[in-house]
Amino acid sequence: GEAILKSSNLYKASPAQINIVNEAYLHIDVLLADILSKRKGMTENNPEFFHALISLHDSGRVANLVIVFIRRKKAYSLGVFVNVDLFTGGYEELDWVQSKETKDTASLRIWCNNLAINRHMKQRRAGPYSVDNVKHSMDWSRLANETHTFDNDEEDDYDETYWRDFVMGNGERNKRRIAPKLVTFSSLYPSCDMITNDALISCNPVLSMRAKQAPVHLFYG
């Protein structure tokens, strides 16, 4: 069968070129098949699925992903969070989540993206997750917002005192709580180009990307 991961050492570039030290390919379908093969009662064969990258760790070696798929026979969908070592192909299952009902292709993709955004907010302790000693049972991905510009008050996204009353529901027992602000994508993903975020989440081709804090401009074509 096909390996979950392939890697190759590439040639050394000239001084005028970017030097690529290592290249790795992660096959999500093979990874999901391996995960399901180790779970009792999982009889799905090539289920429809989507995945989203949440974050990278250990200088980009370990990828934190979420994979969601439909269980047609059980009439619901499942999602699994995993850490994958891109050099060795080894992985660790972190959490499993279940949807309330079977999702169609479009809603399955949206659910996957929301799970990824919510987990990334939690990892960065952004918005409501900046408040300590609170069990967060809600999906806060609805508070993430793409503005296509830098957020002038990004510091508030990580200020516990700014979010505590909203999270604790102080003074709003009988009405819907309103967030003090939205958490912008430029705050959640500080290393990404703010202009292309909308293209990324809408799955449109990205022809160029400029680094936010470095004199680097990448072109694709």
Side-chain angles (χ1 to χ4, degrees):
E2 190 174 25
I4 292 176
L5 180 142
K6 296 178 181 178
S7 64
S8 60
N9 292 319
L10 303 183
Y11 63 88
K12 220 172 189 180
S14 67
Q17 296 175 313
I18 297 176
N19 184 22
I20 301 176
V21 178
N22 192 280
E23 186 176 24
Y25 302 88
L26 178 62
H27 297 269
I28 303 297
D29 55 340
V30 181
L31 172 61
L32 178 59
D34 192 69
I35 292 174
L36 296 181
S37 69
K38 298 176 181 178
R39 309 285 298 191
K40 291 183 178 180
M42 291 285 187
T43 59
E44 277 69 26
N45 186 22
N46 297 322
E48 185 175 9
F49 72 91
F50 288 100
H51 73 280
L53 175 66
I54 300 171
S55 57
L56 294 170
H57 307 281
D58 297 338
S59 299
R61 173 171 178 166
V62 177
N64 183 218
L65 307 165
V66 60
I67 308 173
V68 301
F69 61 95
I70 298 175
R71 298 198 72 188
R72 295 293 184 187
K73 295 180 180 179
K74 299 293 185 179
Y76 61 77
S77 301
L78 290 176
V80 57
F81 294 91
V82 293
N83 279 339
V84 183
D85 189 318
L86 297 178
F87 286 179
T88 67
Y91 65 88
E92 175 189 11
E93 296 178 29
L94 301 175
D95 304 303
W96 285 80
V97 291
Q98 177 179 323
S99 69
K100 295 181 179 179
E101 57 188 12
T102 301
K103 295 182 177 295
D104 55 34
T105 301
S107 57
L108 187 69
R109 182 193 295 272
I110 293 173
W111 186 50
C112 181
N113 289 339
N114 288 344
L115 287 174
I117 293 172
N118 193 66
R119 179 58 64 98
H120 192 66
M121 289 177 67
K122 184 177 181 179
Q123 290 177 349
R124 289 188 55 82
R125 296 173 57 83
Y129 289 109
S130 63
V131 181
D132 291 324
N133 302 320
V134 176
K135 184 178 181 181
H136 296 274
S137 58
M138 294 185 63
D139 173 14
W140 295 117
S141 62
R142 63 184 175 84
L143 299 180
N145 181 51
E146 175 58 87
T147 62
H148 306 289
T149 59
F150 288 107
D151 185 3
N152 293 325
D153 54 356
E154 284 186 0
E155 297 82 4
D156 293 335
D157 291 346
Y158 304 93
D159 186 349
E160 179 183 7
T161 60
Y162 196 82
W163 290 91
R164 176 163 290 279
D165 285 345
F166 168 70
V167 173
M168 304 303 294
N170 295 339
E172 299 182 353
R173 296 181 180 275
N174 298 320
K175 60 180 180 180
R176 178 181 174 84
R177 287 180 289 175
I178 299 177
K181 72 183 297 289
L182 297 178
V183 179
T184 61
F185 277 20
S186 63
S187 174
L188 281 178
Y189 303 92
S191 298
C192 293
D193 173 17
M194 61 185 179
I195 302 302
T196 57
N197 280 335
D198 184 64
L200 292 174
I201 62 177
S202 61
C203 301
N204 290 325
V206 177
L207 301 181
S208 68
M209 182 177 294
R210 187 186 301 275
K212 193 173 180 181
Q213 298 179 345
V216 177
H217 197 172
L218 302 177
F219 294 90
Y220 304 88

